Amino acid sequence: MAGRAAFVADVTATAARTARAARDRALRGTARGGLLNLLGAAVAGGGGLAITWLAAAGLGATGAGQFFAATAAFLVAVAFARLGTPTGLVYWIARCRTGDPAGLDTVLRSAVVPVAVASTVTAVVAFTAAPVLSGWKAGGGPEYTAVLRALAVFVPAAVAMELLLAATRGFQRMRATVVVDKLGRTLAQLVLLAVTVWWLETGPLGVALAWALPYVPAAVAAGWWWRGLRRDRSRRTVAPGPVSAPVTPAAFWRYTSPRAVAGTAHLLLQRIDILLVAAMLGFSEAALYTVATRFVTVAQLVSGAVGSAVQPRLATSMSGGDLATARTLYQVTTGWIVLVCWPLLLAVGWSAPWYLSVFGAEYVSWQGVAVVWLLVAGMLVATGCGVVDSVLVMAGRGRWQLYNVVTALAVNVVLNLWLIPAHGVVGAAVAWAVSLALNNVVPLVQLAAGHRLHPFGTGTGLAAAVAAFWFGAVPAVSLAWWGPTALPETLAVSAVATAATALVSRRRLVRPRGDGDAGA
């Protein structure tokens, strides 16, 4: 009996070591992809702020509002035309690249033809309907119609870029997305906009064309990258592995079709407030609202960068029933997101008047400051939930995610229609903050109840405590004691202290003790 007990204990310990090694490999791979994506997110976020500054300062409030509203409509059209295929491609390619390599071609063919048709039809409809859409905006006219039509032409290129880059991420390769989209496209947009605004001195139409043109070479580069990756993989011998479902067009679209609606709803959740503010209050107010909320994009890019890196590994672990690895990935990546995003969000909140003044003196107002703080609160909740949508979708709960985002969008629209007429841009910010919290807390509860997954590991708690102390408590005391004149120095000290604390505690942040083994 003693020998059998020793044998069982030895087997159990070996299995635990093997599982722990698998989780560590997944974390290392996610960390490499996540760091690369974070670099891209830093460039994309900084470039996005610079583009906003160029438009706001170079076009004036009315022209900038036209540009911001038109690009918001463009991104919504792209989200609709891609039919949810980016997530579907990541999910299916990650699953069949080890178990059914021949299924890779089936997956891509299932996506390409419908998306090509949808993007072309969307572009034609948007181009034709531009005068009607322009008429819905306060102050809309021929100039705004021309901007909408110019952007409509580039919808197929933007959709193709997103689809092909998603296919490369299915191979757990983040480099193409970072190089082509985050770095290449963003920097090209920034250079073209700078030339257009400061040298050519064109209006909203020229700025919109400069912003959209880089999607064309980006789509070509993404196609070239996918082709090279697919050819390289086809030469390698792939060890057989499990595939959870037959790889057929029907199976692909059963999984992906909810994402078509969810993807559009998600983009509407991020952009519809700009469109509603422009329609109900005018382009000048839309410019103020966009400027005051642009920092949110940086935090969203950070979360998206980590989510893109962890998605294929979540798909692999969830399909194999390895909830321990999925739990570890979710908790550790949430800690990373909190450690990066919370200091950034709180710093913007404390320095809201200065942040607004960067874009122009006309944007500094109590309404702008209120919008900043409302969105800071909403994003603190959202980033504290981590990549909750990615975990839910990779767990095969795409319909749950669809219901969640549609509900959040409905709440957002109702609150906007109710609050904007009476409270202006502050009402729009309340609507967005509430819907952000709703769209993250509900799936958080669903994951905890249905899969016993949550983001609250020791690393997450440590990251939240560090950010809340150095960028919450310390600046609050500094403002109360010395006033706003000492705020820049206080935030600089907080940044150095946060980095030092993270360096000392890096082992707990990268691989928290016991997180991956917890049962709940």
Side-chain angles (χ1 to χ4, degrees), residues 45-58 64 67-68 190 193 211 287 290-295 297 355 359 363:
L49 287 172
I51 288 169
T52 302
W53 175 77
L54 283 169
F67 172 72
F68 296 143
L190 186 57
L193 257 74
W211 180 84
T290 303
V291 163
T293 59
R294 182 55 65 186
F295 72 94
T297 305
Y355 163 76
F359 299 94
Y363 299 108

Side-chain angles (χ1 to χ4, degrees), residues 190-219:
L190 186 57
V191 170
L192 288 177
L193 257 74
V195 170
T196 302
V197 170
W198 297 116
W199 185 34
L200 300 179
E201 297 183 354
T202 62
L205 177 59
V207 173
L209 285 171
W211 180 84
L213 186 61
Y215 279 104
V216 176

Side-chain angles (χ1 to χ4, degrees), residues 327 330-331 333-335 338 342 380-393 395 397 400-401 404-405 435-457 460 520:
R327 185 179 299 113
Y330 186 22
Q331 293 180 354
T333 54
T334 302
V338 167
W342 282 23
L380 288 175
V381 174
T383 52
C385 295
V387 291
V388 63
D389 266 354
S390 294
V391 180
L392 195 65
V393 172
R397 302 297 183 179
W400 289 8
Q401 197 264 356
N404 296 339
V405 71
S435 58
L436 272 174
L438 182 66
N439 193 45
N440 285 274
V441 172
V442 170
L444 191 72
V445 174
Q446 291 168 338
L447 279 174
H451 297 277
R452 302 176 68 194
L453 292 173
H454 61 80
F456 307 119
T460 310

Side-chain angles (χ1 to χ4, degrees), residues 179-235:
V179 172
V180 173
D181 186 23
K182 303 272 193 306
L183 299 180
R185 180 181 63 83
T186 300
L187 293 176
Q189 285 178 326
L190 186 57
V191 170
L192 288 177
L193 257 74
V195 170
T196 302
V197 170
W198 297 116
W199 185 34
L200 300 179
E201 297 183 354
T202 62
L205 177 59
V207 173
L209 285 171
W211 180 84
L213 186 61
Y215 279 104
V216 176
V220 174
W224 174 83
W225 207 303
W226 159 257
R227 182 181 178 187
L229 183 61
R230 182 72 183 93
R231 185 171 56 246
D232 179 61
R233 290 285 165 171
S234 66
R235 298 194 190 105

Side-chain angles (χ1 to χ4, degrees), residues 315-380:
T316 302
S317 60
M318 297 293 279
S319 65
D322 187 2
L323 290 181
T325 296
R327 185 179 299 113
T328 299
L329 287 168
Y330 186 22
Q331 293 180 354
V332 173
T333 54
T334 302
W336 299 346
I337 291 171
V338 167
L339 190 63
V340 174
C341 289
W342 282 23
L344 170 67
L345 294 167
L346 291 169
V348 171
W350 292 121
S351 57
W354 176 85
Y355 163 76
L356 293 169
S357 70
V358 169
F359 299 94
E362 66 268 34
Y363 299 108
V364 182
S365 64
W366 73 266
Q367 293 96 332
V369 173
V371 168
V372 168
W373 269 110
L374 285 166
L375 267 298
V376 166
M379 286 303 297
L380 288 175

